[in-house]
Amino acid sequence: KNQVEQSPQSLIILEGKNCTLQCNYTVSPFSNLRWYKQDTGRGPVSLTIMTFSENTKSNGRYTATLDADTKQSSLHITASQLSDSASYICVVRDSGGGADGLTFGKGTHLIIQP
Amino acid sequence: DTEVTQTPKHLVMGMTNKKSLKCEQHMGHRAMYWYKQKAKKPPELMFVYSYEKLSINESVPSRFSPECPNSSLLNLHLHALQPEDSALYLCASSQDLAGVDTQYFGPGTRLTVL
């Protein structure tokens, strides 16, 4: 069964600090991995999407890494801001076809404190 | 325009009411999705439309009835809902169902069933 596990479940850091969120998956066959940011009560917004051949992708202060061999991804946030407080969801798509080929992680709830 | 809009933002309804959620996108996307998200949980796929045809129905109760009047609009008709149906309902769209793509999510409709 395809699974996406995220850690930590929640994280509190001070404004200006860096942090790294983890995503481990067992989805097979693998197609791509996305990181989304979801503010409370809002829809998820895509941060990055990576395919098998991509190791690193950046979007401003967000940098995602992918190790397809170990089936691990991380999302690094640099110089955190109060607006980074949100849930960060890792979503992995399989290449088996079908619209239901997305497996969502439960997310990491990040709180940035001033 | 990379926006998916949803109306209403909030909806409170009784168990005997009939209401509809609406979703609209003008990105030329041909795949549209309905998700249900409970608090602190990942989104759960409900329905998928591809080229205005229902592609996937994830065993959703018949009190939820989707409709895709044209390529830009997606509706979710609600009737005789239960209190446990209270959740954030997210609409999303993507270029199509296959390949590497990014889903664009709407802001969601917060539904409360009394």
Side-chain angles (χ1 to χ4, degrees), chain B:
Chain B
D1 183 5
T2 58
E3 190 178 22
V4 176
T5 59
Q6 290 187 245
T7 56
K9 284 186 168 52
H10 302 276
L11 178 62
V12 180
M13 59 186 290
M15 289 189 285
T16 59
N17 292 157
K18 284 185 181 180
K19 297 286 184 182
S20 296
L21 309 185
K22 297 186 184 301
C23 174
E24 190 167 2
Q25 57 87 16
H26 296 287
M27 294 178 279
H29 288 173
R30 303 313 298 269
M32 296 185 77
Y33 311 74
W34 279 117
Y35 286 87
K36 172 184 177 182
Q37 186 177 27
K38 303 283 271 186
K40 298 188 188 298
K41 299 287 188 183
E44 299 173 17
L45 184 65
M46 299 175 71
F47 301 104
V48 180
Y49 273 83
S50 176
Y51 290 83
E52 295 112 74
K53 292 192 186 311
L54 185 62
S55 174
I56 287 182
N57 176 343
E58 291 285 357
S59 302
V60 179
S62 60
R63 56 186 184 269
F64 294 92
S65 174
E67 178 197 17
C68 190
N70 60 56
S71 60
S72 300
L73 294 174
L74 185 66
N75 298 323
L76 185 62
H77 303 297
L78 315 172
H79 174 55
L81 294 193
Q82 303 296 311
E84 60 264 29
D85 296 322
S86 298
L88 181 69
Y89 287 84
L90 295 166
C91 173
S93 72
S94 64
Q95 190 67 41
D96 54 41
L97 296 182
V100 176
D101 60 271
T102 297
Q103 279 183 315
Y104 292 84
F105 283 84
T109 293
R110 172 69 62 189
L111 174 67
T112 302
V113 181
L114 302 177

Side-chain angles (χ1 to χ4, degrees), chain A residues 25-84:
Chain A
Y25 61 92
T26 58
V27 175
S28 181
F30 174 84
S31 176
N32 61 62
L33 182 146
R34 314 123 184 257
W35 282 95
Y36 285 91
K37 177 187 179 186
Q38 185 174 21
D39 293 314
T40 301
R42 306 286 293 178
V45 175
S46 179
L47 295 176
T48 63
I49 181 169
M50 289 186 293
T51 59
F52 184 89
S53 59
E54 296 174 295
N55 300 121
T56 303
K57 185 165 279 191
S58 292
N59 178 358
R61 294 179 297 101
Y62 301 102
T63 299
T65 66
L66 174 65
D67 185 333
D69 291 331
T70 62
K71 299 187 177 180
Q72 296 179 326
S73 176
S74 66
L75 180 69
H76 186 74
I77 304 175
T78 304
S80 61
Q81 300 176 357
L82 296 178
S83 58
D84 292 331

Side-chain angles (χ1 to χ4, degrees), chain A residues 76-112:
Chain A
H76 186 74
I77 304 175
T78 304
S80 61
Q81 300 176 357
L82 296 178
S83 58
D84 292 331
S85 295
S87 287
Y88 291 83
I89 303 174
C90 176
V91 183
V92 182
R93 181 174 188 135
D94 67 45
S95 57
D100 54 353
L102 296 177
T103 304
F104 286 75
K106 292 185 178 179
T108 291
H109 185 53
L110 177 64
I111 297 174
I112 311 298

